[in-house]
Amino acid sequence: MSKYSKVVLKKGKEESILRFHPWLFSGAIDRIEGGVEEGDIVTVHASDDRFLGVGHCGIGSIAVRIFAFKDVEPDLAFWCDKIQAAFNLRQRIGLTSTKGTNVFRLIHGEGDGMPGLIVDFYNGTAVLQAHSVGMWVIREMLVEAMKIVLGDLLTAVYDKSSKTLPFKASIEPVDGYLFGGQTTLEVMEDGNRFLVDWEEGQKTGFFVDQRENRKLLSQYAFGKDVLNMFCYTGGFSFSAMRGGANLVHSVDSSVKAIEMTNKNVELNFPGDKRHEAFAADAFDFMHDIKDKYDLIILDPPAFAKHKNVLSQALQGYKKLNSRAFQQIRPGGILFTFSCSQVVTKTNFREAVFSAAAISKRNVRILHQLSQPADHPINIYHPEGEYLKGLVLYVE
Ligand code: SAH
């Protein structure tokens, strides 16, 4: 491994890496032997020179993202093994052959031992988002590896890293196809059809992580008047309609999202008058909805992207949820979520608890929700748990 620069830690700073935590923080580094640039591969060593791991260099507080705790050469065969392992997991949990579903997350960063890399699979097209320069510079090799592992299943790979790469990186990424071209924009989840715009849409084009929660929602929707707040492309709305909702209102501040929701509703439920979509701000729309809805979904964007705005974010969750608690019909059900990684399960529950207390209503927790199995959490990297949800019964 001598061809890579060596990162040597301060004395006693190897503990977390010995416990397979994939992040090395800059404060733990004593010296770097050899020059490094952001995205370079380095080997990490304890102060007594013991080998600890191989990873990609970054310039933020996470100085190295470790992808192997063995002294290996990260060549095509290495990445093939990694991607094969990720694919095997999706196969084992039945996602690659589930009737009615052809969209799933293929690679979930640290959860799949590939820190800095997200890949969602949309009915043949893999949409890749590199969150580290290291993953981005090897993207061609990753595409080769995906082709080998997925074979005929893979028809295209779209790189959508321009917005996820570190802000200060000295590279100029341009989004585009690394393999194949635009094929199909339609995917299916639990029998619901969706138009996915990975080129223009948010994240990789679709919020794959809410699949199981949408399914649960459909079980509660029968006969209910439903408000799907922060609807994006309408996922929860169809689940509610599929489940027999009486009426569904979808709301998002993005006009584009509302257009997509309307198109998707038309695709699944042509001419169905139960649905109506509104382009509006959540706080405005929820100003006066007293006793209008039996079931409310609140799935806002991440209110806190960094630890320093945590308390402000918690206030945001409190304010939002209190509007729902105060106005939902008696016997109503609230599905409420947070996808901020820095907001812990406890933080979120406390914010929702405070919101409930303001309304003085009797509230019970029916379900505690999380991210699905294709967004696995590496047990050595608890930070990987990001999606939290509560289903609440409001008397
Ligand atoms: N529930 C969706 C994903 C929600 S993503 C799904 O299952 O697919 C969050 C959405 O919130 C985005 O579409 C964004 O446009 C919208 N949004 C952000 N701020 C908002 C605001 N203040 N009011 C209403 N919608 C907002």
Side-chain angles (χ1 to χ4, degrees):
M1 296 295 301
S2 55
K3 67 181 183 185
Y4 302 119
S5 291
K6 236 168 121 168
V7 172
V8 183
L9 304 191
K10 291 177 185 159
K11 204 161 182 258
K13 290 292 185 187
E14 67 275 23
E15 280 309 310
S16 76
I17 298 181
L18 289 173
R19 277 183 274 114
F20 308 113
H21 196 288
W23 292 348
L24 172 63
F25 290 98
S26 54
I29 297 175
D30 179 62
R31 62 183 189 280
I32 300 176
E33 295 176 4
V36 287
E37 287 199 26
E38 187 175 17
D40 282 356
I41 293 168
V42 291
T43 57
V44 180
H45 300 258
S47 58
D48 59 5
D49 205 37
R50 253 176 314 151
F51 171 88
L52 297 171
V54 196
H56 286 133
C57 242
I59 52 167
S61 67
I62 303 173
V64 182
R65 287 179 162 81
I66 297 174
F67 50 72
F69 295 90
K70 281 188 201 143
D71 199 353
V72 291
E73 174 66 33
D75 54 10
L76 179 63
F78 171 83
W79 293 110
C80 273
D81 285 352
K82 285 264 186 197
I83 293 170
Q84 185 69 56
F87 185 68
N88 288 352
L89 186 155
R90 278 70 186 171
Q91 230 170 0
R92 292 285 246 185
I93 59 178
L95 267 177
T96 57
S97 55
T98 305
K99 219 170 153 265
T101 297
N102 55 27
V103 37
F104 56 88
R105 177 152 293 187
L106 174 64
I107 298 169
H108 185 58
E110 286 81 357
D112 285 299
M114 286 177 264
L117 182 67
I118 295 293
V119 178
D120 284 336
F121 182 83
Y122 292 110
N123 193 19
T125 297
V127 180
L128 176 155
Q129 281 195 319
H131 289 252
S132 74
V133 176
M135 284 297 182
W136 189 73
V137 295
I138 62 163
R139 62 196 181 284
E140 299 286 352
M141 187 156 39
L142 295 170
V143 171
E144 278 315 301
M146 278 194 265
K147 281 195 209 167
I148 293 168
V149 172
L150 297 173
D152 293 344
L153 276 182
L154 189 71
T155 49
V157 180
Y158 186 75
D159 174 22
K160 199 185 176 186
S161 304
S162 68
K163 290 194 186 69
T164 53
L165 282 163
F167 177 60
K168 283 189 186 142
S170 54
I171 49 172
E172 287 178 13
V174 177
D175 294 342
Y177 287 91
L178 300 173
F179 163 57
Q182 191 172 322
T183 40
T184 168
L185 286 170
E186 194 181 308
V187 301
M188 227 176 9
E189 180 194 87
D190 283 323
N192 287 320
R193 295 160 68 192
F194 288 90
L195 295 166
V196 178
D197 186 352
W198 44 81
E199 297 184 24
E200 298 297 326
Q202 300 178 37
K203 301 276 168 120
T204 65
F206 184 64
F207 287 79
V208 186
D209 56 2
Q210 289 286 22
R211 182 194 319 110
E212 288 172 10
N213 303 330
R214 287 192 272 257
K215 204 171 184 168
L216 180 69
L217 177 96
S218 68
Q219 296 169 20
Y220 284 105
F222 190 79
K224 303 232 169 51
D225 290 348
V226 178
L227 170 62
N228 179 13
M229 183 51 76
F230 308 98
C231 67
Y232 188 42
T233 55
F236 282 107
S237 305
F238 318 141
S239 307
M241 292 174 84
R242 198 68 75 196
N246 179 54
L247 160 162
V248 178
H249 286 167
S250 304
V251 181
D252 199 288
S253 58
S254 150
V255 173
K256 258 195 182 160
I258 291 302
E259 282 169 10
M260 281 287 261
T261 297
N262 280 329
K263 270 193 205 162
N264 283 334
V265 169
E266 208 38 46
L267 199 63
N268 290 282
F269 303 95
D272 197 321
K273 295 275 180 286
R274 290 177 298 160
H275 180 264
E276 212 175 327
F278 306 87
D281 175 77
F283 290 95
D284 292 344
F285 193 92
M286 291 177 76
H287 189 68
D288 182 18
I289 52 164
K290 183 87 185 143
D291 290 337
K292 266 193 170 168
Y293 301 106
D294 310 287
L295 207 172
I296 298 178
I297 302 116
L298 298 177
D299 183 25
F303 281 171
K305 293 224 161 79
H306 301 286
K307 273 216 166 89
N308 47 6
V309 289
L310 180 61
S311 70
Q312 202 182 319
L314 295 176
Q315 282 303 319
Y317 288 117
K318 185 174 151 188
K319 193 171 147 198
L320 184 68
N321 282 279
S322 75
R323 295 236 166 135
F325 283 127
Q326 282 167 341
Q327 302 182 82
I328 198 166
R329 276 185 193 143
I333 292 177
L334 175 63
F335 275 64
T336 184
F337 297 94
S338 162
C339 61
S340 305
Q341 192 158 356
V342 296
V343 174
T344 65
K345 225 191 276 183
T346 311
N347 290 152
F348 181 58
R349 207 205 263 216
E350 279 166 7
V352 176
F353 162 90
S354 307
I358 296 170
S359 73
K360 299 192 172 64
R361 293 178 73 172
N362 195 4
V363 177
R364 275 170 273 180
I365 299 176
L366 305 183
H367 299 271
Q368 301 181 55
L369 307 178
S370 179
Q371 61 216 57
D374 53 341
H375 295 57
I377 302 159
N378 174 349
I379 202 160
Y380 306 114
H381 178 259
E383 296 89 337
E385 181 172 8
Y386 71 100
L387 183 62
K388 303 150 290 283
L390 292 169
V391 181
L392 304 148
Y393 181 74
V394 189
E395 232 171 85

